[in-house]
Amino acid sequence: MRVDKTRKPLLDVLRGEVPERLPIWLMRQAGRYLPEYRDLRAKSKNFLNMCLTPALATEITMQPIRRFGMDGAILFADILLIPMALGLSLDFREGEGPVLQRVASRDDLMGLTYNPDKVLPVFETVRRVKNTMPEKTALIGFCGAPWTVACYMIDGNSKNDFTAAKEWVREKPQDLDALIAILIDASEKYLSAQIEAGAEAVQIFDSWAGLISGDDFTRFIIGPTRELVSRIKKNYPDIPIIGFPREAGDDYEPYIRQTGVDALSIDTKVDIQWAKRQLQPVKPLQGNLDPDLLVRGGEDMKNAARHIISTLGPRHIFNLGHGVVPQTPPEHVAELVSIIRNFSA
Ligand code: CP3
């Protein structure tokens, strides 16, 4: 029996230990499906302003913690703050998603210089959240993976399936290497500052990992992720790193074996039995529940959740295969948390 009451279940799993209860948090657990988020959103100038105002970002980070008692609090920010700190203009338009100033050529890379002052409020948010969190909740920092952030920098938005980014892969791979090198440097500084401010684990979101495979996956995803992970590990060996190469398919296996991440988040398409056999023996897993089932709720959601829990057992982190969508009824999230808590008990 564990006597240390201050242990955090999420960190225990990430360190390969048996947690006192199965930890749960959800990607995009702070967001438009919560009425209290929509209230603040309506009063704020824009999304970016919310990310860069510590009082607001702290409040939004804490909303799902207060409401559901999640085991992880994910910092409220965005993966596109790094390109912004590199000097690109960024705008989140209502109903349109993000629009980022594009880099068109190698010459444009020369002008990119990481200015930490532009993201200083993010680190203040981390400090504030750390001071107000329940003692069993772990604070998760994050950044986008170099590949995914490069996709947005090259295409500006996701409307054209990252046609331009894929063109760089085929026609200008050395320019892409150069852009990714800039992003590794910036991401190292950005994550290090989050850790210095109090982040207890970090997640690397590679939302568009599924766009490339084979040698391209090795060159633009595994290599850069391994480099970023090893730099963070050198200075912060005790901070666990979760990798999320969404829709990487067969490439999940080389990713988990070669990047040095401490845990792997798996998307909805990953077959859970395959994950149990091929991935779980390598590192702890997180994820997989279909966000649409959280919208639907009821027996379908319950059965799917129980299936994941009984397959992966107590040493995993319960999460979705991607983020909570705006149509999700908050009551379904509450119900999901209660299923997880009952399973643990
Ligand atoms: O609860 C959380 O997960 C907290 C913070 C968080 C946000 N974005 C807030 C956000 C995190 C971890 C992210 C990561 C992020 N941002 C990713 C990787 C994960 C993923 O979803 O694949 C990506 C690709 C982005 C870029 C981004 N930001 C997009 C494509 C969009 C538009 C889509 C949308 O849902 O509107 C955003 C906006 C955004 N980031 C919102 C939130 C809560 C919605 C903003 C709003 O209109 O209120």
Side-chain angles (χ1 to χ4, degrees), residues 24-215:
I24 175 174
W25 70 279
L26 304 177
M27 293 185 265
R28 257 325 146 72
Q29 63 189 15
R32 284 164 296 184
Y33 76 106
L34 287 178
E36 57 269 37
Y37 173 87
R38 292 197 300 269
D39 276 353
L40 287 179
R41 178 85 159 81
K43 287 185 215 140
S44 313
K45 233 173 32 205
N46 54 47
F47 174 74
L48 200 52
N49 181 57
M50 287 163 78
C51 292
L52 297 175
T53 307
L56 279 174
T58 302
E59 168 59 21
I60 296 168
T61 304
M62 293 304 294
Q63 284 176 344
I65 310 306
R66 244 183 261 130
R67 202 190 247 260
F68 307 114
M70 297 294 186
D71 295 291
I74 177 104
L75 167 69
F76 185 77
D78 199 86
I79 66 165
L80 300 179
L81 296 183
I82 284 187
M84 187 202 67
L86 286 168
L88 299 180
S89 68
L90 171 63
D91 191 13
F92 285 87
R93 292 180 198 151
E94 205 57 57
E96 238 193 282
V99 181
L100 186 64
Q101 183 188 347
R102 297 175 56 180
V103 296
S105 68
R106 189 154 192 146
D107 286 347
D108 286 351
L109 305 187
M110 311 295 282
L112 300 174
T113 312
Y114 178 72
N115 178 357
D117 292 346
K118 292 202 171 170
V119 281
L120 275 185
V122 172
F123 314 130
E124 174 61 18
T125 301
V126 173
R127 276 187 288 275
R128 290 188 187 203
V129 172
K130 190 69 178 293
N131 286 330
T132 49
M133 251 183 2
E135 62 176 13
K136 281 187 189 295
T137 309
L139 174 50
I140 308 163
F142 74 93
C143 69
W147 160 251
T148 284
V149 177
C151 284
Y152 282 100
M153 290 172 77
I154 295 169
D155 274 79
N157 59 59
S158 56
K159 284 188 205 109
N160 298 310
D161 302 316
F162 299 104
T163 311
K166 285 185 275 191
E167 204 174 287
W168 280 46
V169 170
R170 283 192 318 272
E171 282 155 36
K172 311 194 267 188
Q174 280 155 352
D175 294 356
L176 185 53
D177 287 335
L179 172 54
I180 281 179
I182 291 168
L183 287 168
I184 295 170
D185 288 345
S187 304
E188 179 195 359
K189 293 184 181 124
Y190 183 66
L191 285 183
S192 299
Q194 290 182 26
I195 294 167
E196 294 288 342
E200 298 169 286
V202 294
Q203 177 154 324
I204 300 173
F205 285 89
D206 216 341
S207 305
W208 301 105
L211 293 178
I212 53 177
S213 60
D215 291 345

